[in-house]
Every structure is written in C-alpha cells, then in structure tokens.
Amino acid sequence: MQQYKTNGRLYLQSEPFLLTRRVSHGFTSRLGGVSHGKIEGLNLGFRVGDNPDDVMENYRLVAEDLGLNLSHTVLAKQTHTDCIRLITPEDMGKGISKPSDIEDTDGLMTNLKGVPLVVFSADCIPLLFLDPEKEVIAAVHAGWRGTLKEIGKKAVAMMEREFDCNPQDILAAIGPGIGPCCFAFGKKDAEIFPPEFVRETSPDKVLVDIWEMNRNQLLDAGLSPKNIDMSGVCTVCQQHQFYSYRTHKEHTGRQGAVIMLR
Ligand SMILES: [Zn+2]
C-alpha cells in the first residue's frame, strides 16, 4: 500500500486499485483535519461528540483530496454486525446530505458510479473491495466481532450472488487497524478466536492477529493471494497518525475507508 500526502493530510491507497483507474479510494488518517480538542484531526465520525460542522468540513476535505462526489456519499450506523447493504439510487447521500436509515449495517456495496461508500473505524479493520470486471465495489468494517462473523467472506459471497462476480477477479485492500503486535487478550477471553491466529506471550496473555484472520477468510472465499493488499499499519503503534480506540478510549475520532466507482 502506498502513502498519498496532500495539504498536510495522509492517505493510504492500494496500488492494484489505482492501476485499474476505475475507482477513487483511500484509507484516511487523523492528520490535517479541522476537528480539535481530544479528537483533533480528520475525524469522520458523527457520533463521537465532535462538532458536526467540523466533521462535515473533514468530509469535504477528503472528498476534495480523493476526487469524491461528496453529496452522494453514503454512511451507515455500524454496530459490529455482519449485515451488508446493497446501495440503490434512493440511498445516495444518506448520512451526508440527508438523514440515514441505514442502521445495524457494517458493509456497503454498489455498482452505481459516483457514489462513495464509507466505513469508519478506530482500531477495527476496514476492508475495501473492487471487481474491475463487473465494476462492483464494497466497503466493510471488520472489528474482532465482525471478523469472527466473517463479514469479509460474506461480502465476497454477496458480490458473487448479486453481481455474478468471480472471486478470482476481486481485489481487496485490508486497511490500518490494530495489529498482532498490540491486540492483547486474556488467555481465557481469546478462546473465541481460532487458535492459529493466537500467539501466547505469557502464561495468561495472548496476542490475536485479526489482519491475518481477515486475509485468510478472503483466501477461503476464493480471492487470489496477489489480489489481497494488506497495509500492515497498526493504529495503536501509529497512534500519532491514526485514531486508536484502545489508546484514547472514548476520546477518539474515527478514520474512514472510502471507495467510489468513477
Ligand atoms: Zn501495534
């Protein structure tokens, strides 16, 4: 994944996505926004106690930097589900230019052009998908709960079902989130995770690798290893550049993963 810096803001972009020239996309960081106080920076979360005008200005800056159609941008109220919503023309602008009724939804998918899909996170793993053949995109929020529910794999299955996508054509980008360096659990609590993604660090502590869990699920879903681009950026280690819920608790903003078909 490569860095794109502009006007003091930092984005991560997936090279395979860029090479298709079919989408505008990026994973945002916290650098360079207008939010201030404890959530200073480019906060994209409307529900974290930030001034809504500041959040809207941050969206405007991101839209300008990445070439997005701001008024058609779609957001959901994410609640760690495995629900993925197919975005229709009536949904355009929900959460930005009109109220959103898209609730309990952690994934957005569409084949509509000019409609940016956004998921936000602060340690959770954002996933972006693009099938350049069928011209279908998806944005998915996969925290550890969503990862256990295999939301990434479900997104691929839905692309096959709804749009006849071939998994071999699908590109995926796994964005910045909490890494296997920092995702610590008590040994007992980690029993919910498949053991191959859990590494013991002391008799009662373990580290869990949800990056690799997501990558593994996408391979299971039929994606080619060369088509899965993993940022490898840990939001806890890089907390000066990214919002981190584990680090800042309730006083944290949200970064976004955004994608729009051109
Ligand atoms: Zn880390």
Side-chain angles (χ1 to χ4, degrees), residues 208-221:
V208 179
D209 190 347
I210 55 169
W211 292 351
E212 194 54 34
M213 258 178 91
N214 275 287
R215 202 180 76 90
N216 211 62
Q217 285 173 22
L218 300 182
L219 291 172
D220 259 11

Side-chain angles (χ1 to χ4, degrees), residues 166-179:
N166 179 347
Q168 285 288 308
D169 295 331
I170 297 175
L171 307 177
I174 302 177
I178 191 166

Side-chain angles (χ1 to χ4, degrees), residues 131-157:
D131 178 346
E133 300 301 319
K134 296 287 185 342
E135 301 203 320
V136 176
I137 54 170
V140 168
H141 162 248
W144 63 264
R145 295 178 192 85
T147 302
L148 281 172
K149 291 173 188 164
E150 303 195 312
I151 189 169
K153 196 171 173 176
K154 285 172 182 169
V156 174

Side-chain angles (χ1 to χ4, degrees), residues 29-30 38-40 121-124 176-179 182-183 234-255:
S29 72
R30 71 177 295 176
K38 286 180 172 157
I39 50 177
E40 180 181 350
S121 57
D123 289 344
C124 289
I178 191 166
C182 295
F183 206 22
C234 172
T235 45
V236 177
C237 292
Q238 304 295 328
Q239 55 191 255
H240 57 293
Q241 291 185 323
F242 293 92
Y243 292 111
S244 167
Y245 189 80
R246 279 225 165 180
T247 310
H248 307 109
K249 305 291 181 238
E250 63 268 30
H251 301 297
T252 190
R254 298 289 182 273
Q255 49 253 350

Side-chain angles (χ1 to χ4, degrees), residues 163-196:
F163 297 103
D164 200 27
C165 296
N166 179 347
Q168 285 288 308
D169 295 331
I170 297 175
L171 307 177
I174 302 177
I178 191 166
C181 35
C182 295
F183 206 22
F185 277 82
K187 202 169 180 179
K188 266 257 158 286
D189 296 331
E191 282 172 3
I192 48 173
F193 295 101
E196 62 268 40

Side-chain angles (χ1 to χ4, degrees), residues 11-52:
Y11 300 89
L12 296 178
Q13 293 183 311
S14 176
E15 242 164 359
F17 281 52
L18 292 170
L19 288 171
T20 68
R21 298 173 180 274
R22 302 283 173 84
V23 289
S24 299
H25 84 289
F27 295 99
T28 72
S29 72
R30 71 177 295 176
L31 304 182
V34 301
S35 296
H36 34 251
K38 286 180 172 157
I39 50 177
E40 180 181 350
L42 193 68
N43 167 48
L44 298 181
F46 278 106
R47 299 196 299 155
V48 295
D50 199 356
N51 176 348

